[in-house]
Amino acid sequence: MPSYTAPTKDMQFILHDVLKLSQGKTPGYGDLDRDFTAAILEEAGKIASEVLAPLNPVGDTHGCRLENGVVYTPPGFKDAFQQMKDNGWPGIDMPEDFGGQGMPYVLGTAVGEFFSAANQAFTMYQGLTHGAASTILAHGTEAQKATYLHKMVACDWTGTMNLTEPHCGTDLGLMRTKAEPQADGSYKVTGQKIFISAGEHDMAENIIHLVLAKIPGGPEGIKGVSLFIVPKFLVNEDGSLGPRNGVSCGKIEEKMGIHGNATCVMNYDGATGYLLGEEHKGMRAMFTMMNEARLGVGMQGVAQAEIAFQNALAYARDRLQGRDITGPKNPDSPADPLIVHPDIRRNLMEQKSFVEGGRAFLLWGATLIDAAHRSGDAEADGLISLMTPVIKGFLTDKGFDMTVQAQQVYGGHGYIEEWGMSQYARDARIAMIYEGANGVQALDLVGRKLAQDGGKHVMAFFEMVKTFCKTAGETQGMAEFVDPLKRASKDLQTAAMYFMQEGMKNPNAALSGSYDFMHLFGHVCLGLMWARMAEAAQAALAAGTDDPEFHRTKLATARFYMARQLPMTATHLARIQSGAEPVMALDAANF
Amino acid sequence: MPSYTAPTKDMQFILHDVLKLSQGKTPGYGDLDRDFTAAILEEAGKIASEVLAPLNPVGDTHGCRLENGVVYTPPGFKDAFQQMKDNGWPGIDMPEDFGGQGMPYVLGTAVGEFFSAANQAFTMYQGLTHGAASTILAHGTEAQKATYLHKMVACDWTGTMNLTEPHCGTDLGLMRTKAEPQADGSYKVTGQKIFISAGEHDMAENIIHLVLAKIPGGPEGIKGVSLFIVPKFLVNEDGSLGPRNGVSCGKIEEKMGIHGNATCVMNYDGATGYLLGEEHKGMRAMFTMMNEARLGVGMQGVAQAEIAFQNALAYARDRLQGRDITGPKNPDSPADPLIVHPDIRRNLMEQKSFVEGGRAFLLWGATLIDAAHRSGDAEADGLISLMTPVIKGFLTDKGFDMTVQAQQVYGGHGYIEEWGMSQYARDARIAMIYEGANGVQALDLVGRKLAQDGGKHVMAFFEMVKTFCKTAGETQGMAEFVDPLKRASKDLQTAAMYFMQEGMKNPNAALSGSYDFMHLFGHVCLGLMWARMAEAAQAALAAGTDDPEFHRTKLATARFYMARQLPMTATHLARIQSGAEPVMALDAANF
């Protein structure tokens, strides 16, 4: 049976040895010392392993069920949700004013990885609530905050995001759902939304839908979209629940994975809605939380890769098959464990170096979000905005790939559902799609973020890498990590330069290379994280760590990433430099 | 709803313009003129589109059902199977002596792609029968052939291959199933086999299991394994069915995909079996058909990529979302079709160039198998043996990747089962595993095939590429295709040389790079096929083809492969040259 153990040691290493959290200037970071985060991570890891992970295959097998408009979650989900609420996990990084624990987002990200790894479908119920609550927090009136936030922070009420309609996903300007103003200042919302995760279920008293819709007579297209709060049950003045609103779940989708999460078709039939933020500024309001939401999806990529890796590793150590080519490792047994075979190791090292590097990248990103939100650090905000599509696109693509590689370690046993490896791949697949499909991330990166504020943020990124390489490069033994990073960063700069020059003449020259650029950027970021981790590991070894094997393993894994993964930047660059012609040559009819 | 149209035009182009089939010296090839193959392909394409494809989602949704030892296939499968039999498709390339049509294997491969694309799970029933019948044909006594082959060629009786046991897959030396000799020359077979595709079902009168087992007292390990024919119903002297044999299906597996094919746990309880081939030479007998079987699995990779590509392309043309960045293509409509966007094209071109290149590679491989079997051409046999792991490993890895990319074109609609894209990815996933997991293919390639017969076959491969480049390079306009192929081939040679030099000292240095080598080799083969297709397209254009768009499209697609896919060889080489150290550094305990 699949199992999950929270990687608390690795998390602590990244938080403290690499990111040096408690030395950070961001408000709230001073409290995050090693013992404090250890206690939080241990508790979170426990509930992830003991409560959420055992329900993961249950959710996959049973799925959700729609009967007479009611969605029933899989057996055990309700109790587990109650346990999560009782322990205050949903509000860990929400303001204390609304019943949260007020901790930094980086800590929410750290525990979020554990929860997502243990049970992605389950964790989405609270994840979406977090997103919806954050949006109300940022754009709601005081009255709206007072009405909804306490309940949502506690997950007594959950939240949803309603964007997609049958005929439009990425291109929301085509939206048809309309919101008609009423005399009392409310709106009547009418239309159909699809792919609404957690749109209906049996784990909360109320569901607060955030719905994008058009107010008739407003501007055409995307500029005429507004955001509305549409509660499942209307809320009385005293906070008690009033009558059922005109919103209902018409269908739940059969999906490739995340069966434990109800993906709903939501029908709005003149439902009462309340404007959230300004008229016609709905996209802006919805997207305020985008960096966070997309980082959260990137985290799912790493999380599924982590649990898949853990199980693949256990299987590779346990399963006896074949002999070490250099001589039996297990002479008393009829065969050696799989892990003796070089190609199994190659596979496992790819997984390990991705998961640990990706985790560091995510947590670093989360510290930038904290700096932006808690300290108003504009540079951090610019940097994380730039890197958000990379975090989302690269980490979910690679995360999925790694679940597939993990499955491969099991041979035929990886393909049957009994061993659980199929679920990780099927669940991980969605993260490449939702919250902006990865092709859209690449477009956002190359078409928007790269040139944002005159290219200031990408220049800052290159400067940062350069400074790191210069400083770290002076430390003895760091050249083997810094040199490959320099080369990779140079490939990225060359690609960016190519876009600037060619993109002026022909935007397709840049956009044809956007996906490769996103991956190139991702490799440079993971290369940077591995160099930083190597630096931290060397420092720990020099200082006489009491866990030298852990730190030596970090160095070996960093070497693997540099030698085996980072060379990919050259191919991405070559593809980019081939320009638009190979991609755009055909007429649509000739494909 | 998903649909499928057989790519007959492309198939004809490869068979006649590229491979020049009817000019071939192989016996039987003279009959394969353009009109003849067109007629066959058209008929096969029709049954694939009209009969098999509509049953593909049915099979996925309903799956197989085990009740009281009987396996029920999905609704409609039985009738479709009868239609396939009535039209003689299962025996298309089997000997006329046993009721087949005696056509070359290359034609069986061409129509097999159509059937597999339209319905992989269904087509496996006849595919496995083909494999089992071929093995009896190669190793059976005259009496055995007379007893089984007519029925199997007609698919009145189907066949299976029984290798895997719960504790052993790749390492069959650990096998426990035993076969005890009886006084009458038969054996009593006892043991459990798992992952037996089509092990039990309701579409045939009898099922002929080929079972690997050990005769007590024989040599240890893999050298003591023999092959047995174990019929579900014993066969009387007059060919009629006798009593039920001691073999039964204990369970069918829940799998990620190919739900329409019953994957069975088969229990042998003193079942009567008949030795096939020689005692203790079971592996050799089972593996005689390996090149064919593995090419058949490689074909599944291409086939699933083809149907996924067809549907992704249709969706990309149909779905209106966003605007062409260089100006609206569809000004009267609120949005342009997806296919205007460069990254969607990048994705589609990757699919297209893989599918068409992979198809050519497969068909070329099939002509080598024909040359080996029909003409006893030892060079062809050596070359196809060398390339078999590449065909199987590379085409199934990439085939799966392409189904995932095709799914991505659909955004959220790709993730829900309704649109069918999930099934292609889930079905394609198995091909990377069965018939030797792809890591084992890489091991076979680098650990065995590369140095086979003193490295003669790989040298012949390089010589062939060199000769092609020299000859084709002299044709005007071919340099843009030949030059990248030369560079890629040089990377492959450098890698092979590295293995020879370093592998002597440390076999792990070669095996750590085996997977990359398999992919590097695959890219060179597809590069070669694209250069050959470009040459054929240029020739057709020069000769005044009546379908210039088709041939110009071939050239554009060839350019794409050269510019965007072939550069990958450099990264594979860099990974290989990093040697064993990054891969092997860690103790198993430190992962």
Side-chain angles (χ1 to χ4, degrees):
Chain A
M1 283 301 295
S3 73
Y4 175 70
T5 308
T8 48
K9 193 200 265 191
D10 196 49
M11 200 66 93
Q12 285 280 83
F13 169 74
I14 297 168
L15 293 178
H16 300 292
D17 295 297
V18 182
L19 300 174
K20 302 185 192 307
L21 220 59
S22 59
Q23 298 168 32
K25 299 179 309 250
T26 305
Y29 274 38
D31 300 334
L32 302 180
D33 65 26
R34 217 175 268 267
D35 289 345
F36 179 77
T37 62
I40 301 274
L41 295 176
E42 194 184 330
E43 279 308 305
K46 215 169 137 185
I47 199 165
S49 305
E50 295 173 10
V51 179
L52 305 191
L55 285 176
N56 196 36
V58 176
D60 188 53
T61 312
H62 287 263
C64 295
R65 192 163 44 83
L66 172 65
E67 266 177 38
N68 302 321
V70 181
V71 171
Y72 298 91
T73 51
F77 270 42
K78 229 170 160 168
D79 288 348
F81 202 66
Q82 190 60 47
Q83 260 184 278
M84 292 296 279
K85 285 162 55 176
D86 290 347
N87 289 286
W89 291 114
I92 183 172
D93 57 357
M94 297 300 276
E96 287 168 288
D97 289 353
F98 299 104
Q101 302 195 41
M103 293 185 203
Y105 177 68
V106 68
L107 216 59
T109 302
V111 302
E113 188 207 301
F114 297 171
F115 300 151
S116 269
N119 197 327
Q120 178 174 328
F122 175 91
T123 302
M124 287 170 67
Y125 291 96
Q126 72 187 58
L128 286 154
T129 308
H130 190 283
S134 298
T135 308
I136 295 174
L137 192 63
H139 300 283
T141 61
E142 289 311 309
Q144 285 172 337
K145 292 184 202 174
T147 304
Y148 301 105
L149 285 183
H150 269 97
K151 290 286 192 182
M152 291 179 78
V153 166
C155 267
D156 290 334
W157 300 353
T158 62
T160 71
M161 302 290 211
N162 291 239
L163 290 80
T164 306
E165 298 184 5
H167 63 290
C168 69
T170 299
D171 189 356
L172 290 168
L174 305 175
M175 184 173 294
R176 291 179 194 148
T177 298
K178 60 173 195 271
E180 291 168 301
Q182 305 297 304
D184 65 354
S186 73
Y187 293 77
K188 289 281 175 220
V189 178
T190 303
Q192 189 178 65
K193 295 286 180 177
I194 63 169
F195 303 155
I196 309 308
S197 299
E200 179 58 53
H201 62 88
D202 58 356
M203 301 197 297
E205 300 156 13
N206 201 4
I207 301 176
I208 310 305
H209 302 290
L210 300 194
V211 184
L212 287 177
K214 285 184 170 176
I215 301 169
E220 286 289 301
I222 199 72
K223 289 179 179 154
V225 168
S226 306
L227 183 60
F228 299 89
I229 298 175
V230 184
K232 173 178 169 184
F233 290 101
L234 295 171
V235 182
N236 297 322
E237 295 243 334
D238 65 357
S240 63
L241 295 186
R244 178 76 190 246
N245 201 355
V247 48
S248 61
C249 170
K251 181 187 168 193
I252 56 178
E253 307 285 358
E254 297 291 331
K255 308 184 299 291
M256 186 174 180
I258 52 165
H259 295 155
N261 198 278
T263 305
C264 301
V265 173
M266 297 304 296
N267 295 318
Y268 294 87
D269 302 307
T272 299
Y274 311 100
L275 187 67
L276 178 58
E278 293 174 56
E279 259 189 10
H280 313 316
K281 300 279 169 66
M283 291 306 292
R284 209 158 69 182
M286 188 63 108
F287 280 124
T288 315
M289 293 300 120
M290 191 170 64
N291 290 344
E292 271 187 45
R294 292 186 169 174
L295 188 138
V297 176
M299 180 190 74
Q300 292 176 340
V302 172
Q304 289 309 301
E306 166 70 31
I307 188 168
F309 170 58
Q310 284 189 16
N311 285 280
L313 175 59
Y315 192 79
R317 283 175 174 150
D318 190 52
R319 173 87 167 174
L320 304 179
Q321 206 80 179
R323 285 291 186 198
D324 188 328
I325 196 164
T326 62
K329 282 285 172 297
N330 225 357
D332 300 334
S333 209
D336 290 335
L338 283 178
I339 200 167
V340 303
H341 302 300
D343 187 61
I344 294 285
R345 283 179 169 256
R346 187 264 323 153
N347 183 342
L348 292 171
M349 288 301 291
E350 288 183 6
Q351 294 178 54
K352 182 178 173 68
S353 64
F354 167 73
V355 168
E356 296 176 10
R359 174 175 299 128
F361 186 25
L362 281 167
L363 293 174
W364 174 44
T367 63
L368 294 172
I369 289 180
D370 277 329
H373 290 183
R374 292 181 164 236
S375 313
D377 180 338
E379 281 176 30
D381 193 47
L383 191 55
I384 190 63
S385 292
L386 171 71
M387 293 195 305
T388 290
V390 181
I391 289 174
K392 198 279 183 183
F394 181 72
L395 295 183
T396 60
D397 277 358
K398 288 285 168 190
F400 171 71
D401 286 350
M402 292 303 125
T403 62
V404 172
Q405 289 197 191
Q407 200 183 7
Q408 195 71 10
V409 173
Y410 280 70
H413 298 278
Y415 195 67
I416 61 174
E417 296 292 350
E418 191 181 334
W419 289 80
M421 302 306 287
S422 160
Q423 185 186 355
Y424 306 139
R426 289 184 293 97
D427 285 1
R429 182 68 185 87
I430 187 57
M432 296 158 69
I433 298 173
Y434 59 22
E435 203 62 40
N438 287 356
V440 176
Q441 303 298 329
L443 178 65
D444 179 47
L445 176 64
V446 170
R448 223 165 60 89
K449 299 293 177 63
L450 211 49
Q452 208 166 40
D453 300 323
K456 188 170 121 181
H457 310 301
V458 74
M459 293 304 165
F461 177 85
F462 289 132
E463 196 54 39
M464 183 198 57
V465 174
K466 198 173 144 191
T467 307
F468 170 81
C469 288
K470 197 167 178 310
T471 316
E474 286 164 6
T475 309
Q476 206 198 346
M478 278 299 290
E480 61 170 322
F481 307 108
V482 165
D483 292 347
L485 173 61
K486 271 189 203 161
R487 278 195 297 275
S489 179
K490 187 158 171 282
D491 287 342
L492 186 66
Q493 288 186 58
T494 307
M497 198 65 76
Y498 176 86
F499 288 160
M500 284 178 201
Q501 287 166 351
E502 299 297 316
M504 297 283 201
K505 292 174 263 175
N506 175 12
N508 287 340
L511 297 186
S512 296
S514 59
Y515 214 89
D516 280 287
F517 189 79
M518 180 172 76
H519 275 247
L520 206 178
F521 208 148
H523 278 298
V524 172
C525 290
L526 258 62
L528 173 64
M529 298 323 295
W530 271 115
R532 289 183 64 181
M533 290 196 279
E535 190 185 35
Q538 286 201 342
L541 285 164
T545 166
D546 54 8
D547 193 356
E549 282 304 318
F550 177 84
H551 294 100
R552 277 198 283 266
T553 297
K554 277 284 167 203
L555 292 175
T557 312
R559 277 181 205 115
F560 178 89
Y561 199 87
M562 299 302 172
R564 291 262 171 173
Q565 304 298 77
L566 220 44
M568 191 64 207
T569 60
T571 293
H572 287 305
L573 178 60
R575 286 178 181 162
I576 288 166
Q577 289 179 323
S578 74
E581 181 59 22
V583 172
M584 304 303 291
L586 293 187
D587 275 353
N590 287 338
F591 267 79
Chain B
M1 283 301 294
S3 73
Y4 175 70
T5 308
T8 49
K9 193 200 265 191
D10 196 50
M11 201 67 93
Q12 285 281 82
F13 169 73
I14 297 168
L15 293 178
H16 300 292
D17 296 298
V18 182
L19 300 175
K20 303 186 192 307
L21 220 58
S22 60
Q23 299 167 31
K25 299 179 310 251
T26 304
Y29 273 39
D31 301 333
L32 303 179
D33 65 25
R34 216 176 269 266
D35 289 345
F36 179 78
T37 62
I40 300 274
L41 294 176
E42 195 185 330
E43 280 309 304
K46 214 169 139 187
I47 200 165
S49 304
E50 295 174 10
V51 179
L52 305 192
L55 285 177
N56 197 34
V58 176
D60 189 52
T61 311
H62 287 263
C64 295
R65 192 163 44 84
L66 172 66
E67 265 178 38
N68 301 321
V70 181
V71 171
Y72 298 91
T73 52
F77 270 41
K78 229 169 159 169
D79 288 349
F81 202 66
Q82 189 61 48
Q83 261 184 275
M84 293 295 281
K85 283 164 54 176
D86 290 348
N87 289 286
W89 291 114
I92 183 172
D93 58 357
M94 297 300 276
E96 287 167 287
D97 289 352
F98 299 105
Q101 304 194 40
M103 293 185 202
Y105 178 69
V106 68
L107 215 60
T109 302
V111 302
E113 189 207 302
F114 297 171
F115 300 151
S116 268
N119 198 327
Q120 178 175 331
F122 175 90
T123 303
M124 287 170 66
Y125 291 97
Q126 71 187 58
L128 287 154
T129 307
H130 191 283
S134 299
T135 307
I136 294 175
L137 193 62
H139 299 283
T141 61
E142 289 311 310
Q144 286 171 337
K145 291 184 202 173
T147 304
Y148 301 106
L149 285 183
H150 270 96
K151 291 286 192 180
M152 292 178 78
V153 165
C155 267
D156 291 334
W157 299 354
T158 62
T160 70
M161 302 287 211
N162 291 238
L163 289 79
T164 307
E165 299 184 6
H167 64 290
C168 69
T170 300
D171 189 355
L172 290 169
L174 304 176
M175 183 174 295
R176 291 180 193 147
T177 298
K178 60 173 195 274
E180 289 167 302
Q182 304 298 303
D184 65 354
S186 73
Y187 292 78
K188 290 281 174 220
V189 177
T190 303
Q192 189 178 65
K193 294 287 181 178
I194 64 169
F195 302 157
I196 308 309
S197 299
E200 179 58 54
H201 62 87
D202 58 355
M203 300 199 297
E205 301 157 12
N206 201 4
I207 301 176
I208 310 304
H209 302 289
L210 299 194
V211 184
L212 288 176
K214 285 185 172 177
I215 300 170
E220 287 289 298
I222 200 72
K223 289 178 180 154
V225 169
S226 307
L227 184 59
F228 299 89
I229 299 175
V230 184
K232 174 178 167 184
F233 289 100
L234 295 172
V235 182
N236 297 323
E237 294 242 336
D238 64 356
S240 64
L241 295 186
R244 179 77 189 245
N245 201 355
V247 48
S248 59
C249 169
K251 183 187 168 191
I252 56 178
E253 307 285 358
E254 297 292 331
K255 308 183 298 292
M256 186 174 181
I258 53 165
H259 294 155
N261 198 278
T263 305
C264 302
V265 173
M266 297 305 294
N267 295 318
Y268 293 87
D269 301 307
T272 298
Y274 309 99
L275 186 67
L276 178 58
E278 292 175 56
E279 262 190 10
H280 313 316
K281 301 278 168 69
M283 291 305 292
R284 209 157 70 181
M286 187 63 110
F287 280 123
T288 315
M289 294 299 122
M290 192 170 64
N291 290 344
E292 271 188 44
R294 291 185 170 174
L295 187 139
V297 176
M299 182 190 74
Q300 292 177 339
V302 171
Q304 289 308 301
E306 166 70 32
I307 189 168
F309 170 58
Q310 284 189 17
N311 285 280
L313 175 59
Y315 192 81
R317 283 175 173 148
D318 190 54
R319 174 87 168 175
L320 303 178
Q321 207 79 179
R323 284 291 186 198
D324 188 328
I325 195 165
T326 63
K329 283 285 171 297
N330 223 357
D332 300 335
S333 208
D336 291 334
L338 283 179
I339 201 168
V340 304
H341 302 299
D343 187 60
I344 295 285
R345 281 177 170 257
R346 188 264 321 153
N347 183 342
L348 292 171
M349 288 300 292
E350 288 183 6
Q351 295 177 55
K352 182 178 174 66
S353 63
F354 167 73
V355 168
E356 296 177 10
R359 174 176 298 128
F361 186 24
L362 280 168
L363 293 174
W364 173 44
T367 62
L368 294 173
I369 288 180
D370 277 330
H373 289 182
R374 293 182 163 237
S375 312
D377 180 338
E379 280 175 31
D381 193 47
L383 191 55
I384 190 61
S385 291
L386 171 73
M387 294 195 307
T388 290
V390 181
I391 290 174
K392 197 281 181 181
F394 181 72
L395 295 183
T396 60
D397 276 358
K398 288 286 168 189
F400 171 72
D401 286 350
M402 292 303 124
T403 62
V404 172
Q405 288 196 192
Q407 198 183 10
Q408 194 72 9
V409 172
Y410 280 70
H413 298 278
Y415 195 67
I416 61 175
E417 296 293 349
E418 191 180 334
W419 289 80
M421 302 306 287
S422 159
Q423 185 187 353
Y424 307 139
R426 289 184 291 98
D427 285 1
R429 182 67 185 87
I430 188 57
M432 297 158 69
I433 299 173
Y434 60 21
E435 204 60 39
N438 286 357
V440 176
Q441 302 297 329
L443 178 64
D444 179 46
L445 176 65
V446 171
R448 224 165 61 89
K449 298 294 176 62
L450 211 50
Q452 208 165 39
D453 299 325
K456 188 170 122 183
H457 310 301
V458 73
M459 293 304 164
F461 178 85
F462 288 131
E463 196 53 39
M464 183 198 58
V465 174
K466 198 174 145 191
T467 307
F468 170 81
C469 287
K470 197 167 178 308
T471 316
E474 286 163 6
T475 309
Q476 205 195 349
M478 278 298 290
E480 61 170 320
F481 307 107
V482 165
D483 291 347
L485 174 60
K486 272 189 204 162
R487 278 195 296 276
S489 178
K490 186 157 171 284
D491 286 343
L492 186 65
Q493 289 185 57
T494 308
M497 199 64 77
Y498 177 85
F499 287 161
M500 284 179 203
Q501 286 166 352
E502 297 298 316
M504 298 283 199
K505 291 174 262 174
N506 175 13
N508 286 340
L511 297 185
S512 297
S514 59
Y515 214 90
D516 280 287
F517 189 80
M518 180 171 75
H519 275 248
L520 205 178
F521 208 149
H523 278 298
V524 172
C525 291
L526 258 65
L528 173 64
M529 297 324 295
W530 272 114
R532 289 183 64 180
M533 291 195 281
E535 189 185 35
Q538 285 200 344
L541 286 164
T545 165
D546 55 7
D547 194 355
E549 282 304 318
F550 176 83
H551 294 101
R552 278 198 283 267
T553 297
K554 277 284 167 202
L555 292 175
T557 312
R559 277 180 204 112
F560 179 89
Y561 199 86
M562 299 303 172
R564 291 263 171 172
Q565 303 299 77
L566 220 43
M568 191 63 208
T569 59
T571 293
H572 286 304
L573 178 60
R575 286 179 181 160
I576 287 166
Q577 289 179 323
S578 74
E581 181 58 23
V583 172
M584 304 302 293
L586 293 187
D587 276 350
N590 288 339
F591 266 79

